[in-house]
Amino acid sequence: SKNYLMIQFIKNLFGAGVKVNYRELYESGATIIDVRSKGEFQGGHIKGSVNIPLDILPEKLSKINKSKPVITCCASGMRSSSARKILLANGFTEVHNGGGWQSLLVKMRE
């Protein structure tokens, strides 16, 4: 059906087609990049995540290890989706959009 194809298209667009085991990724050394503002990050974040606000991400790429998987997160998943695209465009090979940091935290406990 047309609806099913549209849903698949949207899932693929946001990288939701394949189920990612975030806990496994994190335990194997993935870097979690939280692209919210400094104030948002200070209001709560995932322990061990690195705060690099989306607007300064392009100039901070050298601070991120390219040889490790990267998980991006933000408040809802929109900025982390943009961050994922920036990283992929700059030679990072394994980048996952973890979406909102609170839902990512839940996914990491699954």
Side-chain angles (χ1 to χ4, degrees), residues 26 32 41 44-50 101 105 108:
Y26 183 64
I32 300 175
F41 185 79
H45 57 266
I46 295 172
K47 193 175 163 214
S49 61
V50 181
W101 74 273
L105 199 53
M108 284 169 52

Side-chain angles (χ1 to χ4, degrees), residues 45-69:
H45 57 266
I46 295 172
K47 193 175 163 214
S49 61
V50 181
N51 182 217
I52 305 176
L54 182 62
D55 57 342
I56 62 163
L57 181 63
E59 62 227 48
K60 298 287 184 185
L61 296 174
S62 63
K63 297 203 181 305
I64 308 164
N65 188 340
K66 270 188 180 166
S67 66
K68 287 183 175 181

Side-chain angles (χ1 to χ4, degrees), residues 33-104:
I33 308 287
D34 190 321
V35 296
R36 295 176 298 149
S37 71
K38 194 174 179 176
E40 286 175 288
F41 185 79
Q42 286 171 339
H45 57 266
I46 295 172
K47 193 175 163 214
S49 61
V50 181
N51 182 217
I52 305 176
L54 182 62
D55 57 342
I56 62 163
L57 181 63
E59 62 227 48
K60 298 287 184 185
L61 296 174
S62 63
K63 297 203 181 305
I64 308 164
N65 188 340
K66 270 188 180 166
S67 66
K68 287 183 175 181
V70 176
I71 302 167
T72 59
C73 66
C74 60
S76 68
M78 295 305 284
R79 284 175 284 180
S80 55
S81 175
S82 299
R84 177 177 181 269
K85 289 177 186 143
I86 291 168
L87 293 170
L88 290 172
N90 283 281
F92 287 80
T93 52
E94 193 181 348
V95 187
H96 303 275
N97 177 6
W101 74 273
Q102 289 169 309
S103 62
L104 176 58

